[in-house]
Amino acid sequence: MTIGAMLSFWIFLAVVFAVIEGATMQLTTGWFALGAIVSFFCVLFGVTQFSTQVIIFFSVSIITLIFTRPLLKKYLVKKRQPTNADRCIGKTAVVTETIDNIDAKGEVKVLGQTWTARSADGEVFNEGEYVKVDSIDGVKLIVSKI
């Protein structure tokens, strides 16, 4: 492989990994883009053996991934902040208006508050029945049979 082809290969690989990282923001492929850039510079400085370039690529990528990903995740990935509404999950609620997903109606009362509710599996719940709160979807509680 010629020097020009090797340089082109490593730049192409760096761009591909950078685009994937930019599209997903999962903090996984950015390090491989960095490894490709380092391999590109190795070619510029005279490392012409392709197998050595590949070893440098993987070494730089894996070492930077291991040592920097936990730090970046800690500072860049925001954790979900629980809200008071999360207190409802797992609680028992009483149906105050028939829950019918097809008619898009239904209400429950839980922890002293009335919430719009939908059935997790499409089952209809009648007024006065007790249900369990499974999750929250926007401003609606998703409930199921106890």
Side-chain angles (χ1 to χ4, degrees):
M1 191 182 293
T2 67
I3 301 289
M6 285 188 267
L7 291 171
S8 298
F9 173 76
W10 290 116
I11 286 297
F12 172 77
L13 209 56
V15 169
V16 167
F17 284 127
V19 167
I20 292 170
E21 182 66 38
T24 62
M25 295 299 292
Q26 293 296 312
L27 297 178
T28 52
T29 58
W31 290 273
F32 293 98
L34 180 64
I37 291 168
V38 170
S39 292
F40 170 83
F41 281 108
C42 287
V43 173
L44 284 179
F45 291 114
V47 178
T48 57
Q49 189 72 0
F50 187 71
S51 59
T52 305
Q53 296 167 23
V54 171
I55 290 169
I56 290 168
F57 165 73
F58 280 114
S59 298
V60 168
S61 299
I62 291 169
I63 289 170
T64 56
L65 177 68
I66 290 170
F67 289 108
T68 61
R69 187 169 194 263
L71 290 172
L72 286 174
K73 267 194 100 127
K74 179 179 178 181
Y75 293 107
L76 295 179
V77 177
K78 301 293 180 205
K79 291 184 173 69
R80 183 174 176 264
Q81 291 295 325
T83 64
N84 287 337
D86 292 336
R87 297 178 305 143
C88 297
I89 297 174
K91 301 289 185 200
T92 299
V94 63
V95 178
T96 57
E97 178 187 327
T98 300
I99 298 172
D100 187 347
N101 291 0
I102 293 173
D103 290 337
K105 67 177 190 166
E107 285 184 355
V108 296
K109 189 168 191 173
V110 60
L111 299 174
Q113 294 180 324
T114 302
W115 288 78
T116 303
R118 297 294 179 263
S119 173
D121 58 4
E123 185 176 350
V124 175
F125 295 105
N126 294 313
E127 194 172 329
E129 288 185 66
Y130 289 91
V131 293
K132 182 181 84 148
V133 178
D134 293 332
S135 63
I136 300 173
D137 182 16
V139 295
K140 294 179 195 74
L141 297 183
I142 307 301
V143 299
S144 62
K145 191 173 192 172
I146 294 181

